[in-house]
Amino acid sequence: MQDEPRPEEILAAVAAFLKGPAVRESGPHISFQLRVCANAVEIAQRCITLGPPAEAEELARLHALLLTDGDLPTLNRELAARIRDGRVTLETPGLKEHLWATTMAKLAVDQPNYSGYRAALAERAAGKEA
Amino acid sequence: MAADNPQADTKSPAEILAERLGALAHRRFHAANGVARVARLTAGATQEIWRFDLTHEGGSDTPLILRRTPAGRMAAAASGAGGGGGGSSISLDVEAEVLRLAEGVHVPVPSVKYVLSPQDELGVGFIMEYVEGETLGGRIVRDARFEATRPKLARQCGEILARIHSISPGAAPKLRHQTPAELVAHWRAAYDNSNCPRPVFDLAFAWLQARLPPAREPTLVHGDFRNGNLMFRPGEGVVAVLDWELAHVGDPMEDLGWICVNPWRFGVVDKPVGGFGEREDLYAGYEAAGGEKVDRAHVRFWEVFGALRWGVMCAGMTAAFRMGDPSVERAVIARRASETEVDLMRMLAP
């Protein structure tokens, strides 16, 4: 067992440092790059915390959808191939739900503030209520 | 820097450029006696943009812009080829021709004052008018000073696009023509090359393949007509259409779809045209200014295509990050590919 603090805690501290003191004490060009670095560190941090459970769920959905064994890259390649040749379409039971769940899990890691993601969250919450 | 004068190694590239611009001013601009305040504005991989003042006897100065690809970088630019709507850029001398065609049909553009010749020793490019205005998309959609102007922008964009599309492709023989089917195939190949499966992209390609617009008479297409490449002033609205390097010959509806793609709404998702306007205003302006009657489904095809093209471009940053340019910025842009997946899902499977 590795020692603590956990990697996600260390990355959170790095991001906070980059966005705070480092940006304050640098010129305009470097401060822009520092914000990009902070953004990158936060993506890595969210990958560590949110990635494994999301990928486990994605794998389970792919097994159910494709009825095939394999790891995530293999099954995603298989799904891509079946969509491409028309064996799987939006009418295929489970496809739409799977793609939405996978996409939302990616965005939660990559760009949780993206306008299209925020809009999708609101639309999907409204859809469940209705 | 091999392209610049090797004997002048004590001079900076900026000093050499200023000297050559000064000589050019004497030769080519009537009553000019030199240049002053030469300053670099941006540094792209192949292109440079410089601002300078043309000075005259008697003291009046004219602010101008130089856009150039230095001679040494021409080969690099050419080797990145692929063609017009396929996503690669036209060279600056061709862009100058297109700008002049656009000006000829009253599209607001910076006026081209001079096209570089080999004798100028400045590479390939042109000198154009300096236009003042705002280009940052986020400011256009949010700043209070644009509030009163914003409601008329979508219609203006439609009118301008109709004029761009009125230019005969025959007037621009150097531009590449690509059909919708060829464009879809081009981007599918680029996606395949990324070697990373994204089933949402496959869904979008299948959707596009099933809805390819019928063959038609092609027109000039701007190729990158969006918020961020347009210059605005409060009150007047659009004062310049910039960034013509993706100009090509093809389906005019491509331009109407691209300006609606979500990343160019700068966070204002409920204003589909550039984050500032409504589709119906865009279409009304287009039709009123002589554009063909707009088929909504046809524009939708190009909006989906535009989102997918942007996504494939972002995804391609992973290869660039691993092989040529391991900058943090590239890595973060690569991670924006998923943005287009949610945009595509909202359009195709709401």
Side-chain angles (χ1 to χ4, degrees), chain A residues 32-33 36-37 39-40 43 47 72-73 76-77 79-81 83-84 88-90 95-96 98-100 103-104 106-107 109-111 114-117 119-120 123-124, chain B residues 188 191-192 195-200 202-207 262-263 266-269 328-329 331-332 334-343 345-346 348-350:
Chain A
F32 170 76
Q33 294 297 333
V36 174
C37 287
N39 186 8
I43 291 171
C47 239
L72 267 182
N76 268 306
R77 248 177 266 281
L79 177 60
I83 293 172
R84 176 175 293 210
V88 170
T89 70
L90 278 176
L95 180 75
K96 182 173 163 178
H98 167 71
L99 291 181
W100 266 114
T103 300
M104 295 304 268
K106 276 191 182 190
L107 266 294
V109 169
D110 290 347
Q111 309 293 343
Y114 178 58
S115 63
Y117 173 65
E123 286 157 3
R124 299 182 71 66
Chain B
R188 175 166 255 171
Y191 162 55
D192 288 348
N195 203 27
C196 172
R198 296 172 178 273
V200 175
D202 290 276
L203 187 75
F205 277 117
W207 188 93
N262 191 58
F266 293 90
V268 185
V269 288
V328 180
E329 205 173 349
V332 170
R335 281 276 178 157
R336 290 186 60 184
S338 53
E339 290 181 3
T340 59
E341 293 184 29
V342 77
D343 291 340
M345 286 300 289
R346 288 181 69 223
L348 305 183

Side-chain angles (χ1 to χ4, degrees), chain B residues 53-138:
Chain B
D53 286 335
L54 194 67
T55 57
H56 299 89
E57 303 283 353
S60 73
D61 295 345
T62 312
L64 292 173
I65 294 284
L66 166 72
R67 294 186 60 198
R68 70 153 188 169
T69 301
R73 272 177 254 161
M74 289 303 292
S79 71
S88 76
S89 305
I90 56 176
S91 62
L92 283 168
D93 50 342
V94 178
E95 191 173 337
E97 285 175 31
V98 175
L99 276 168
R100 282 177 165 163
L101 290 171
E103 192 179 8
V105 293
H106 309 293
V107 173
V109 286
S111 197
V112 175
K113 300 295 183 191
Y114 176 73
V115 179
L116 297 177
S117 76
Q119 184 199 0
D120 302 318
E121 297 182 284
L122 285 164
V124 170
F126 58 90
I127 291 167
M128 67 185 196
E129 175 191 11
Y130 173 82
V131 184
E132 197 104 41
E134 182 61 73
T135 57
L136 291 176

Side-chain angles (χ1 to χ4, degrees), chain B residues 248-300:
Chain B
H248 59 280
V249 172
D251 184 337
M253 294 301 114
E254 183 185 340
D255 280 335
L256 276 72
W258 181 235
I259 194 177
C260 296
V261 172
N262 191 58
W264 315 134
R265 300 182 199 174
F266 293 90
V268 185
V269 288
D270 59 352
K271 293 278 182 225
V273 181
F276 50 68
E278 304 298 337
R279 290 177 208 273
E280 290 308 316
D281 292 333
L282 177 76
Y283 303 157
Y286 190 76
E287 292 173 3
E292 66 189 35
K293 182 148 176 51
V294 176
D295 173 346
R296 275 70 177 153
H298 192 162
V299 177
R300 190 70 165 174

Side-chain angles (χ1 to χ4, degrees), chain A residues 3 9 14 16 18-19 22-23 36 47 51 76 79 92 96 98 107-109 113 116 121:
Chain A
D3 269 349
E9 296 174 285
V14 173
L18 291 172
K19 284 193 282 189
V23 163
V36 174
C47 239
N76 268 306
L79 177 60
T92 307
K96 182 173 163 178
H98 167 71
L107 266 294
V109 169
N113 293 319
L121 279 176

